[in-house]
């Protein structure tokens, strides 16, 4: 149980003069809860206090991650769709559209007027001092460090109510600590008009696992393209589980990623999916191609967002075949038989009849972008 996980993870306190958070007695053998925020003299006291403390006990803590510096690590199991934390930025900056470091660096006067606590929290974030010299001309070395840290830790705030709104970015105490992965297990988003970010688990995150996010957003590509983009923008060489693949595994991963992106972009272009739906002559072969790409996606790590959109496209094409008076019959060639077997293995025997629900279920724990994309695709059948 969650309580038992915490009970089994308490640590010895180095401050014996502190008081137990439950009985408020002093003890020489106090132990920390996993979160490191409260102390207890016994498991019994921690059990008694759990109803109160669980309201503030965080799901993640900052820890040193091998090869990455510091990151966020789960201290208990987190189910898909769970909001891990919500936070406001330490500082907000305006993004640039063309050149520079990607945003307007806060002025020196603004820097000096920052809240001391927020400034200290910001200055403890990752500093690419050996990889960045954009600001070395300024005489205040602390300000130079501040600018480097903002450049390496800013997060886009995609909260615009209107297309003409200013593009913003922010630096966050916890969110900016989350390390990148090309196969992330979480995502962050802001509600329209808000700068508050919520970080949500995109799949099950087990106790002890690092919480990761994708810095690339909707971008994707082959390994070398991703790593080049990450190095140029965030000043690090990606060594995630995907970028660490070698040989045939890497080749397959690159090929499938590019195939999925190409097909999604094709269907995502204005009027393209409508054209596909109305092409009575070729719609069956188009459906066959998209089902093959969907099956191929199961050869690599899960990308729940792209898969949800792909499921919705397959559903629209399948239903449109029926609406145009046809009846989808699986081809009998070896390639098609293998595609069918793979999809039945992962999606169920009658998956063709359930593609819409599978898409909605996959998107249910994702950002509003993917939810809107799936909803728009499925809505094409009502027009």
């Amino acid at each position: 149980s969650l309580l038992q996980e915490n009970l089994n993870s308490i640590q010895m306190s180095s401050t014996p003069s502190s008081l137990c958070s439950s009985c408020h007695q002093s003890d020489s053998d106090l132990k920390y809860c996993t979160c490191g925020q409260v102390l207890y003299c016994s498991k019994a006291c921690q059990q008694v206090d759990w109803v109160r403390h669980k309201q503030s006990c965080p799901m993640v803590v900052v820890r040193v991650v091998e090869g990455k510096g510091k990151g966020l690590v789960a201290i208990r199991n987190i189910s898909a769709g769970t909001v891990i934390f919500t936070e406001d930025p330490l500082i907000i900056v305006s993004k640039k559209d063309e050149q520079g470091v990607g945003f307007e660096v806060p002025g020196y006067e603004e820097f000096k007027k920052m809240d001391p606590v927020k400034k200290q929290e910001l200055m403890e974030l990752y500093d690419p001092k050996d990889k960045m010299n954009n600001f070395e001309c300024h005489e205040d070395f602390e300000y130079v460090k501040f600018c480097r840290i903002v450049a390496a830790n800013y997060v886009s705030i995609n909260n615009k109510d209107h297309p003409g709104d200013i593009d913003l970015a922010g630096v966050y105490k916890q969110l900016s600590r989350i390390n990148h992965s090309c196969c992330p297990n979480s995502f962050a988003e802001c509600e329209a008009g808000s700068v508050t970010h919520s970080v949500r688990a995109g799949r099950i995150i087990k106790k002890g696992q690092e919480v990761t996010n994708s810095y690339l957003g909707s971008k994707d590509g082959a390994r070398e393209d991703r790593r080049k983009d990450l190095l140029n923008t965030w000043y690090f060489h990606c060594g995630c589980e995907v970028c660490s693949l070698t040989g045939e595994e890497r080749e397959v991963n690159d090929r499938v990623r590019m195939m999925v992106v190409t097909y999604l972009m094709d269907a995502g272009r204005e009027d393209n999916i409508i054209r596909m739906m109305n092409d009575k002559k070729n719609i069956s072969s188009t459906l066959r191609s998209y089902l093959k790409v969907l099956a191929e996606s199961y050869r690599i790590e899960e990308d729940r967002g792209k898969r949800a959109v792909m499921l919705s496209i397959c559903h629209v094409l399948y239903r449109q075949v029926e609406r145009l008076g046809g009846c989808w019959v699986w081809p009998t060639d070896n390639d098609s038989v293998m595609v069918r077997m793979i999809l039945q293995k992962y999606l169920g025997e009658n998956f063709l009849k359930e593609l819409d629900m599978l898409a909605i279920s996959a998107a249910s724990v994702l950002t509003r972008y993917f939810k809107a994309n799936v909803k728009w695709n499925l809505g094409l059948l009502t027009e």
Side-chain angles (χ1 to χ4, degrees), residues 277-281 283-284 317-329:
M277 291 173 64
N278 294 328
D279 186 357
K280 187 173 182 179
K281 179 180 179 181
I283 190 170
S284 290
L317 294 174
Y318 174 69
R319 291 301 183 189
Q320 187 67 0
V321 168
E322 295 183 329
R323 288 172 63 169
L324 293 175
C327 180
W328 171 256
V329 177

Side-chain angles (χ1 to χ4, degrees), residues 11-248:
Q11 304 169 0
M12 291 297 297
S13 168
S14 60
T15 55
S17 60
S18 300
L19 300 179
C20 172
S21 296
S22 179
C23 67
H24 307 296
Q25 298 297 311
S26 178
D27 193 293
S28 61
D29 193 27
L30 292 175
K31 298 177 182 178
Y32 277 113
C33 172
T34 313
C35 66
Q37 295 183 354
V38 292
L39 292 160
Y40 297 105
C41 63
S42 66
K43 289 185 178 181
C45 271
Q46 188 176 28
Q47 274 185 313
V48 170
D49 194 48
W50 178 240
V51 173
R52 179 197 64 82
H53 178 55
K54 72 178 180 180
Q55 305 301 321
S56 59
C57 187
M59 300 181 194
V60 294
V61 293
V62 177
R63 288 183 181 167
V64 174
V65 180
E66 184 177 358
K68 298 181 180 181
K70 293 182 178 179
L72 295 189
V73 176
I75 59 174
R76 56 179 181 262
N77 295 334
I78 305 173
S79 58
T82 300
V83 175
I84 302 173
F85 63 85
T86 299
E87 69 172 338
D88 294 322
L90 298 172
I91 192 171
I92 299 173
V93 295
S94 298
K95 293 180 67 178
K96 287 183 177 179
D97 292 327
E98 296 178 2
Q99 49 190 343
V101 293
F103 57 89
E104 296 286 352
V105 178
Y108 185 55
E109 293 303 316
E110 183 180 354
F111 162 72
K112 291 195 295 183
K113 293 177 182 177
M114 272 192 74
D115 175 85
V117 175
K118 289 185 177 181
K119 183 191 290 186
Q120 179 62 35
E121 290 173 339
L122 186 146
M123 297 294 275
E124 292 175 354
L125 295 173
Y126 168 62
D127 176 13
K129 57 184 178 181
D130 299 325
K131 304 174 183 178
M132 189 177 190
N133 56 11
N134 303 49
F135 314 103
E136 296 301 331
C137 59
H138 200 281
E139 60 185 16
D140 187 326
F141 292 122
E142 186 182 31
Y143 176 62
V144 171
K145 177 181 177 181
F146 166 80
C147 290
R148 289 196 306 261
I149 291 174
V150 172
N153 293 276
Y154 77 87
V155 178
S156 295
I157 299 175
N158 299 313
N159 68 343
K160 294 194 294 184
D161 281 317
H162 308 289
D165 289 349
I166 298 174
D167 286 320
L168 300 175
V171 180
Y172 294 76
K173 180 181 179 180
Q174 288 197 96
L175 177 55
S176 294
R177 284 281 189 199
I178 298 180
N179 290 314
H180 166 83
S181 172
C182 295
C183 180
N185 56 22
S186 77
F187 58 86
E189 68 173 341
C190 292
E191 294 300 326
S194 171
V195 296
T196 302
H197 258 101
S198 294
V199 176
R200 190 184 300 267
R203 61 175 183 267
I204 295 174
I205 302 175
K206 294 183 179 180
K207 177 184 175 182
Q209 284 187 331
E210 183 185 11
V211 176
T212 57
N213 202 345
S214 173
Y215 295 0
L216 298 173
S218 58
K219 294 180 183 179
D220 205 346
R223 174 181 182 270
E224 293 310 314
D225 293 332
R226 298 193 310 270
R227 298 187 85 210
K228 181 179 179 180
D229 198 357
L230 290 165
L231 179 61
N232 290 340
T233 307
W234 288 281
Y235 315 102
F236 71 92
H237 292 279
C238 184
C240 73
E241 61 269 43
V242 180
C243 288
S244 298
L245 295 174
T246 59
E248 185 178 353

Side-chain angles (χ1 to χ4, degrees), residues 246-259:
T246 59
E248 185 178 353
E249 282 188 307
R250 180 189 297 176
E251 293 177 6
V252 170
N253 192 278
D254 280 351
R255 178 181 63 79
V256 173
R257 275 177 171 262
M258 294 308 301
M259 180 190 301

Side-chain angles (χ1 to χ4, degrees), residues 80-81 187 200 304 308 358-367 370-371 374:
F187 58 86
R200 190 184 300 267
R304 196 162 186 157
L358 290 168
I360 292 171
S361 175
S364 64
V365 299
L366 300 175
T367 64
F370 287 110
K371 291 176 182 176
V374 168

